[in-house]
Amino acid sequence: MVAVFALLTSAAVAQEKLPVIVPYNYLDIRELYLDTSNHHTAMRPKLHTDTSAMYTEPYTTKRSWVHRKLFDEHLLEFRNEDYNVFIDFLPDFQIGKSKDGSRTNWLNTRGASIQANIGTKFYFESYFYENQGKFPLYLDQYIRKQDIVPGQGGIKSYSGGKAFDFNMASALLSYTPIKYLTIDMGYGQNFIGDGYRSLILSDIQFSYPYLKLTANLGKVQYTSMWAQFMDKHSKNFATAYDDLGYYKKWGVFHFLDWNVSKRLTIGLFDAVIWPDADSSGRKRGFDWSYMNPIIFLRSAEFSEGSSDNALVGLNAKFKLLPKTTVYGQLVLDEFKLKEVFKGKGWWANKQAWQLGVKSFDLFNVKKLDIQAEYNAVRPYTYSYKSTLINYEHYNQSLAHPLGANFQEVLGIATYRYKRWYGRGQLLYSRYGDDPNPATNYGHDISKPYTTHPNEYGNYIGQGVKTNLYYAQGTIAYIFNPKYNLRVETSLAYRKLSNSLNKSDDLIFNIGLRASFRQFYYDF
């Protein structure tokens, strides 16, 4: 599952096959896994030149204008041999009930998008959403505590404090000067991995500005990205920096993806996070030593005498059968081999790992797909001495929504038939929570790891043992696949239990929705 992404095409320029822009989420990623070639599927968003997945029906003007706009076309289309521009209105109107029907939830979103390309080298997109909403109780409590709507930024009080007003924007400018290189300047999210979750870099959080260079050389794809994040936990800058708002921090990311064979792909990852200023407001700014595009900058970081936050990772996938792919990830935040071999649970052995499988056309039923995944993150992973430098943006992790100190298993099944879409999800997670705000057992990555109570004996699930169950079923009819306009209904069940708190909720929603945005409320 991903946020809104788009693709640039270089199709023939015949009247009915002009270059067109295809949202990545609709360009069926399953086809990339099913292809006999081993595509680079881990880095998203990505650009692609194949438009066949979107335009499966002949382009025609024989239908009425209303029919074409409702079912087949963008709201506004400007097609030309040299450029294309598509503009859409993106509504997201939902209403629902929670548990016994005593709580009414609703969402009122008005969105707009513009997508455009000039030739085959320049691509541009921009999305904006204005929202008001009232959420189920567990989300309402999370929003009030973190002062954000998950994945959608800060809030303002609405309807006498019973609901929230918030907005969301993203943009992307992409330039491909040669076929081997793509340059992206964006304001949005990125995702690295083949799973539903990513323990390396996920797309669960609010938008951030980034610059990304992607090189494709035969079987190797290499990405360098520089990004700026916001530390919403911290106070505003001192007087000299009041106009800059919350403290900022910077990140540099490298990902080398190698198609070893038609079955096996191995990806190597590293990241370094550093603060824009220290707690006294003294500016550091962008560190130009990190402009070095070579992977594994740990040596450069040490040469600068820096204590910046670095982590490395591995992403891999293997095509076990023609329609079945096994994938996984490994993350090392801090690591001492001798402490691992001791097996005494040293607090700074901070690792995370993932193992999953995807299978397509299950039981030979076309477009019946399943996915099963296991994720585990040791205590204190992604945390640091301060939120000025931890692996977090705008009060949300850059990796998993549960932070750290957890194990999770999940299963997802999807089925598509013509314009009908169905999805079912089951999730179980067990994590160790903190009994009070002053205690840190490693679940909340915004707490400094210097407050760990035990040097040894740290294990996944320590603290207040918490069980989380989540199940959701969704059925939708897609009116217009160009911008995913659909009528959708869903039913979700969530149960959380530990020695301090027990809650369960049954949530029903129905609505008219558009766009390819995906929000992660399953935590």
Side-chain angles (χ1 to χ4, degrees):
M1 307 286 286
V2 294
V4 181
F5 301 122
L7 311 177
L8 176 64
T9 78
S10 55
V13 294
Q15 182 177 358
E16 295 185 4
K17 294 184 178 181
L18 291 174
V20 287
I21 301 163
V22 184
Y24 170 83
N25 209 38
Y26 193 87
L27 176 67
D28 206 341
I29 192 172
R30 70 192 301 277
E31 301 303 326
L32 301 182
Y33 284 95
L34 293 173
D35 198 317
T36 54
S37 304
N38 201 11
H39 293 275
H40 298 286
T41 55
M43 190 76 199
R44 305 196 294 264
K46 65 186 296 178
L47 301 180
H48 202 276
T49 57
D50 180 14
T51 62
S52 61
M54 186 63 153
Y55 288 82
T56 55
E57 298 181 7
Y59 184 79
T60 177
T61 58
K62 295 180 181 179
R63 299 283 189 178
S64 69
W65 183 89
V66 173
H67 184 281
R68 287 187 286 113
K69 297 304 175 184
L70 184 60
F71 294 103
D72 298 310
E73 296 181 355
H74 296 276
L75 178 62
L76 298 176
E77 298 188 355
F78 304 95
R79 298 175 181 269
N80 188 280
E81 292 185 3
D82 298 320
Y83 66 86
N84 295 279
V85 180
F86 301 133
I87 300 174
D88 289 304
F89 171 66
L90 305 175
D92 196 348
F93 305 136
Q94 299 182 54
I95 190 167
K97 288 285 187 178
S98 293
K99 205 170 183 179
D100 58 2
S102 60
R103 183 180 179 88
T104 300
N105 311 305
W106 53 269
L107 182 66
N108 176 13
T109 295
R110 293 85 59 212
S113 69
I114 179 171
Q115 303 172 75
N117 71 286
I118 302 174
T120 60
K121 293 185 177 181
F122 285 96
Y123 170 75
F124 168 78
E125 71 176 23
S126 183
Y127 296 84
F128 179 78
Y129 302 89
E130 175 63 29
N131 318 267
Q132 292 84 38
K134 183 179 179 182
F135 294 86
L137 183 60
Y138 83 97
L139 280 176
D140 184 273
Q141 293 172 341
Y142 177 91
I143 291 167
R144 295 180 190 278
K145 178 182 178 181
Q146 300 293 342
D147 199 34
I148 60 165
V149 176
Q152 300 175 78
I155 58 172
K156 294 181 180 179
S157 180
Y158 184 79
S159 185
K162 298 178 181 179
F164 307 103
D165 187 305
F166 54 101
N167 58 60
M168 174 73 176
S170 65
L172 173 66
L173 175 62
S174 182
Y175 174 50
T176 307
I178 57 176
K179 67 178 182 179
Y180 304 107
L181 177 66
T182 299
I183 304 170
D184 294 333
M185 294 182 63
Y187 182 72
Q189 304 91 10
N190 293 268
F191 186 99
I192 299 178
D194 291 279
Y196 173 66
R197 309 288 200 191
S198 176
L199 305 181
I200 291 177
L201 180 63
S202 187
D203 57 355
I204 65 172
Q205 63 290 123
F206 187 54
S207 298
Y208 51 83
Y210 64 89
L211 170 65
K212 182 166 63 177
L213 307 181
T214 304
N216 291 281
L217 299 172
K219 295 182 178 182
V220 175
Q221 183 181 80
Y222 186 70
T223 301
S224 294
M225 185 177 77
W226 299 265
Q228 186 186 65
F229 305 113
M230 183 179 293
D231 178 21
K232 205 169 186 295
H233 291 289
S234 67
K235 62 182 180 180
N236 282 359
F237 278 122
T239 304
Y241 301 105
D242 277 344
D243 59 327
L244 299 180
Y246 292 100
Y247 285 108
K248 309 295 192 302
K249 50 188 170 182
W250 299 88
V252 59
F253 305 83
H254 303 103
F255 184 62
L256 175 65
D257 203 40
W258 176 32
N259 287 334
V260 181
S261 68
K262 290 185 177 181
R263 288 179 176 267
L264 176 64
T265 298
I266 296 176
L268 302 176
F269 168 84
D270 79 346
V272 178
I273 308 293
W274 72 93
D276 187 62
D278 60 28
S279 58
S280 65
R282 186 173 54 213
K283 290 283 287 182
R284 176 180 173 183
F286 185 82
D287 191 330
W288 290 96
S289 66
Y290 289 130
M291 282 301 293
N292 184 339
I294 306 303
I295 196 169
F296 299 130
L297 283 175
R298 190 70 182 182
S299 58
E301 184 215 350
F302 280 130
S303 70
E304 291 295 310
S306 168
S307 59
D308 295 342
N309 185 12
L311 69 159
V312 297
L314 170 72
N315 186 83
K317 68 174 182 180
F318 181 77
K319 185 175 286 189
L320 188 64
L321 298 170
K323 295 186 178 182
T324 300
T325 297
V326 178
Y327 61 88
Q329 291 184 333
L330 175 65
V331 174
L332 304 179
D333 192 352
E334 292 187 42
F335 178 80
K336 284 189 177 180
L337 192 60
K338 67 176 183 179
E339 293 290 355
V340 173
F341 283 149
K342 282 182 180 179
K344 294 184 179 181
W346 187 44
W347 74 270
N349 279 338
K350 303 188 293 182
Q351 301 105 38
W353 54 93
Q354 176 189 86
L355 182 63
V357 59
K358 292 181 177 182
S359 188
F360 305 96
D361 299 335
L362 190 66
F363 307 125
N364 291 322
V365 178
K366 189 175 181 180
K367 295 191 176 182
L368 174 60
D369 307 331
I370 63 166
Q371 180 175 5
E373 188 172 297
Y374 168 76
N375 297 293
V377 181
R378 278 187 50 80
Y380 309 107
T381 306
Y382 309 119
S383 64
Y384 212 67
K385 298 175 183 178
S386 166
T387 55
L388 291 170
I389 197 174
N390 70 339
Y391 207 63
E392 187 181 37
H393 166 62
Y394 220 80
N395 287 12
Q396 282 194 280
S397 170
L398 288 171
H400 197 287
L402 285 177
N405 191 19
F406 71 88
Q407 296 184 75
E408 174 190 63
V409 291
L410 62 90
I412 298 172
T414 62
Y415 178 62
R416 274 172 275 183
Y417 177 73
K418 296 182 178 179
R419 297 200 179 196
W420 288 95
Y421 172 79
R423 181 181 186 274
Q425 176 184 354
L426 294 173
L427 179 151
Y428 169 71
S429 178
R430 185 170 185 175
Y431 63 88
D433 208 349
D434 295 329
N436 55 68
T439 306
N440 181 13
Y441 282 108
H443 174 59
D444 185 351
I445 69 171
S446 67
K447 292 183 177 181
Y449 61 47
T450 53
T451 59
H452 62 274
N454 303 309
E455 193 74 10
Y456 291 94
N458 296 279
Y459 57 89
I460 294 178
Q462 66 181 11
V464 180
K465 293 179 174 58
T466 304
N467 295 300
L468 171 65
Y469 304 87
Y470 186 90
Q472 184 177 36
T474 302
I475 298 176
Y477 180 80
I478 301 172
F479 287 112
N480 193 325
K482 296 293 191 299
Y483 53 100
N484 206 16
L485 178 66
R486 65 200 185 274
V487 172
E488 179 181 292
T489 183
S490 67
L491 183 66
Y493 174 74
R494 179 183 183 272
K495 180 180 179 180
L496 184 144
S497 62
N498 58 35
S499 59
L500 303 178
N501 180 37
K502 292 183 180 180
S503 64
D504 64 275
D505 207 351
L506 188 64
I507 306 160
F508 171 77
N509 264 7
I510 188 169
L512 176 68
R513 312 191 67 189
S515 88
F516 297 95
R517 298 188 302 168
Q518 172 64 43
F519 301 120
Y520 300 85
Y521 296 155
D522 49 354
F523 61 88

